[in-house]
């Protein structure tokens, strides 16, 4: 048994020895050197929590759901499914790169793909721990992360409109940025969850809590994740990489930015290269860039080092030297791939169990959700200009 004190969920507990071993792998510990919200701490100084803390939280919530199903509902869950589900929750973000989602914009590979590559890499410590425990665990965890496990409720628990990932990141992110949007009665939600016909469903009396969670995610996206000011911080990393790549191709860099070179050459990072890359490497490169001769790179590096975000200016009036577009100025459309509700993906939808034992989709019974879906679709795209 191992206990970890957590500032959001209070206690993280490990009973399974192989899960403790997964926690101690170098690939998992690397998540402790990756900020959960990238450069959001420029705007919200408390947002310094890591992908490791979030992964532990998702794991603990998955465990709470499983124990509720087993102990209270008397559901028979086989040992391999139990272990596979907990391992998948713990490892679901193992493929995140430096600065989390920001790294996907320069590597052009999403973190889900790297998660699967790491888990299936025979040289990774994670792969070895899983295989030592059960030779089917690697396959099972991969299937769960792909949403293709034979038990649909397991897929829903790990990735759906109401899953342990979203539950934890809303709770954790809102706590660390100092806002209340993500405060969710997660214990109430867990108590009112069931497995019916191989699907994860929630009792009718949990609708208000689910609506609060979905609205909280919507407001966190508007106020934090995709706010103009946060984008003005995040864009600096993209400009930094773009300028380094531009100068590298012109052979005008003095320092060897070794871990970036495959990306400069438009190559994919190998698993070995990827798992050796973290936020600390990026900041060491930013420090070196302060000493480069290129004034544009110096300017970007200075903003990153001293937490100065780009200025937000009128989209239609932004002007600058054409050659500096994508380095010191850019026009941004804030309408992102964020979905208010996964109405187009039925396997992701929240399901509600009514007192007459009928199961309905949340969007068919929630006036709040349907109104906000319409609002989001009709939302006028916000366009801003950014410059330094």
């Amino acid at each position: 048994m191992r206990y970890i004190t957590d500032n959001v969920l209070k206690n993280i507990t490990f009973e399974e020895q192989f899960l403790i071993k997964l926690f101690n792998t170098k690939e998992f510990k690397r998540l402790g050197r990756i900020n959960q919200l990238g450069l959001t701490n420029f705007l919200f100084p408390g947002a310094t929590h890591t992908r490791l803390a979030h992964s532990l939280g998702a794991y603990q919530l998955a465990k709470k759901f499983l124990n509720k199903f087993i102990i209270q509902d008397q559901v028979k869950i086989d040992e391999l499914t139990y272990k596979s589900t907990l391992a998948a929750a713990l490892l679901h973000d193992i493929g995140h790169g430096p600065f989390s989602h920001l790294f996907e914009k320069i590597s052009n590979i999403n973190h889900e793909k790297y998660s699967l590559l790491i888990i299936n890499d025979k040289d990774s410590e994670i792969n070895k721990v899983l295989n030592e425990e059960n030779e089917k665990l690697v396959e099972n965890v991969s299937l769960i992360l792909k949403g293709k496990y034979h038990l649909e409720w397991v897929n829903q628990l790990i990735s759906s409109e109401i899953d342990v990932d979203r539950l934890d990141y809303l709770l954790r992110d809102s706590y660390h940025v100092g806002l209340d949007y993500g405060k969710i009665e997660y214990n109430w939600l867990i108590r009112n969850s069931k497995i019916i016909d191989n699907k994860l469903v929630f009792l009718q009396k949990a609708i208000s809590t689910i609506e609060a969670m979905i609205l909280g995610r919507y407001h966190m996206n508007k106020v934090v994740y995709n706010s103009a000011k946060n984008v003005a911080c995040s864009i600096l990393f993209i400009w930094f990489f773009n300028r380094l790549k531009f100068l590298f191709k012109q052979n005008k860099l003095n320092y060897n930015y070794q871990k970036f070179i495959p990306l400069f050459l438009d190559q994919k990072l190998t698993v070995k290269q990827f798992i050796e890359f973290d936020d600390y490497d990026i900041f060491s490169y930013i420090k070196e860039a302060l000493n480069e001769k290129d004034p544009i790179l110096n300017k970007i590096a200075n903003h990153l080092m001293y937490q100065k975000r780009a200025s937000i200016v009128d989209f239609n009036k932004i002007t600058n030297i054409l050659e500096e577009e994508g380095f010191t100025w850019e026009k941004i459309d804030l309408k992102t791939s964020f979905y208010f509700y996964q109405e187009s993906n039925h396997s992701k939808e929240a399901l509600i169990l009514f007192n007459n034992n009928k199961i309905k989709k949340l969007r068919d019974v929630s006036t709040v959700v349907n109104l906000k879906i319409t609002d989001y679709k009709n939302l006028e795209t916000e366009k801003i200009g950014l410059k330094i």
Side-chain angles (χ1 to χ4, degrees), residues 300-318:
I300 302 168
N302 187 274
H303 273 66
L304 282 166
M305 182 56 62
Y306 301 108
Q307 297 190 350
K308 297 184 287 185
R309 62 177 172 83
S311 299
I312 301 170
V313 296
D314 190 301
F315 182 89
N316 296 311
K317 294 181 180 179
I318 183 169

Side-chain angles (χ1 to χ4, degrees), residues 228 231 312-313 315 330-334 382-386:
V231 172
I312 301 170
V313 296
F315 182 89
E330 197 164 336
K331 292 182 177 182
I332 297 289
D333 187 332
L334 290 182
E382 184 180 359
K383 296 181 179 180
I384 60 171
L386 298 173

Side-chain angles (χ1 to χ4, degrees), residues 41-166:
N41 63 309
F42 283 23
L43 190 61
F44 298 95
T48 56
H49 54 303
T50 66
R51 283 282 156 186
L52 185 146
H54 163 59
S55 297
L56 287 173
Y59 153 81
Q60 185 65 18
L61 289 170
K63 185 176 175 184
K64 283 176 174 287
F65 272 100
L66 291 175
N67 288 345
K68 189 270 179 184
F69 299 148
I70 293 169
I71 298 169
Q72 186 174 323
D73 299 343
Q74 300 293 300
V75 176
K76 292 183 179 179
I77 299 174
D78 66 271
E79 183 180 9
L80 184 56
T81 292
Y82 183 84
K83 290 181 177 180
S84 299
T85 304
L86 291 181
L90 189 66
L91 302 175
H92 78 281
D93 269 352
I94 201 70
H96 265 294
F99 296 159
S100 292
H101 289 288
L102 282 179
F103 194 75
E104 296 174 331
K105 298 181 185 299
I106 68 168
S107 67
N108 296 316
I109 294 184
N110 62 42
H111 71 278
E112 291 92 349
K113 184 170 182 178
Y114 267 122
S115 292
L116 292 170
L117 288 173
I118 293 168
I119 290 167
N120 286 275
D121 184 353
K122 296 187 184 302
D123 291 326
S124 74
E125 291 183 5
I126 284 174
N127 182 278
K128 292 172 183 176
V129 170
L130 291 173
N131 275 319
E132 284 174 5
E133 180 65 20
N134 190 304
E135 60 183 13
K136 293 184 178 180
L137 268 175
V138 169
E139 179 185 5
N140 280 8
V141 171
S142 298
L143 286 171
I144 293 171
L145 295 183
K146 291 177 183 177
K148 295 180 179 180
Y149 194 62
H150 68 281
L151 297 174
E152 183 57 28
W153 66 266
V154 173
N155 298 324
Q156 290 174 280
L157 189 64
I158 302 302
S159 180
S160 67
E161 195 62 44
I162 310 296
D163 61 31
V164 294
D165 176 26
R166 290 185 182 182

Side-chain angles (χ1 to χ4, degrees), residues 14 17 21 24 35 43 68 85 109 112 136 140 176 208 259 271 273 277 293 295 310 341 343-344 352 384:
F14 289 99
Q17 189 63 35
K21 289 181 180 179
N24 286 320
N35 198 315
L43 190 61
K68 189 270 179 184
T85 304
I109 294 184
E112 291 92 349
K136 293 184 178 180
N140 280 8
H176 285 280
S208 295
K259 293 184 179 181
V271 170
Q273 290 170 327
F277 217 165
K293 295 179 180 179
Y341 187 74
E343 58 172 341
S344 61
I352 306 300
I384 60 171

Side-chain angles (χ1 to χ4, degrees), residues 14 18 57 114 121 131 230 282 286 303 322 326 328 344 369 371:
F14 289 99
F18 90 99
Y114 267 122
D121 184 353
N131 275 319
N230 194 42
I282 303 296
I286 291 169
H303 273 66
L322 184 62
T328 66
S344 61
V369 168
L371 283 174

Side-chain angles (χ1 to χ4, degrees), residues 237-266:
F237 175 61
I238 310 302
W239 288 350
F240 178 69
F241 174 79
N242 288 347
R243 192 62 183 177
L244 280 177
K245 184 176 180 179
F246 174 80
L247 295 171
F248 173 82
K249 291 187 174 181
Q250 295 195 358
N251 198 27
K252 291 184 178 179
L253 292 173
N254 294 322
Y255 184 74
N256 181 9
Y257 301 86
Q258 184 65 39
K259 293 184 179 181
F260 265 146
I261 289 178
L263 299 179
F264 291 159
L265 298 173
D266 297 315

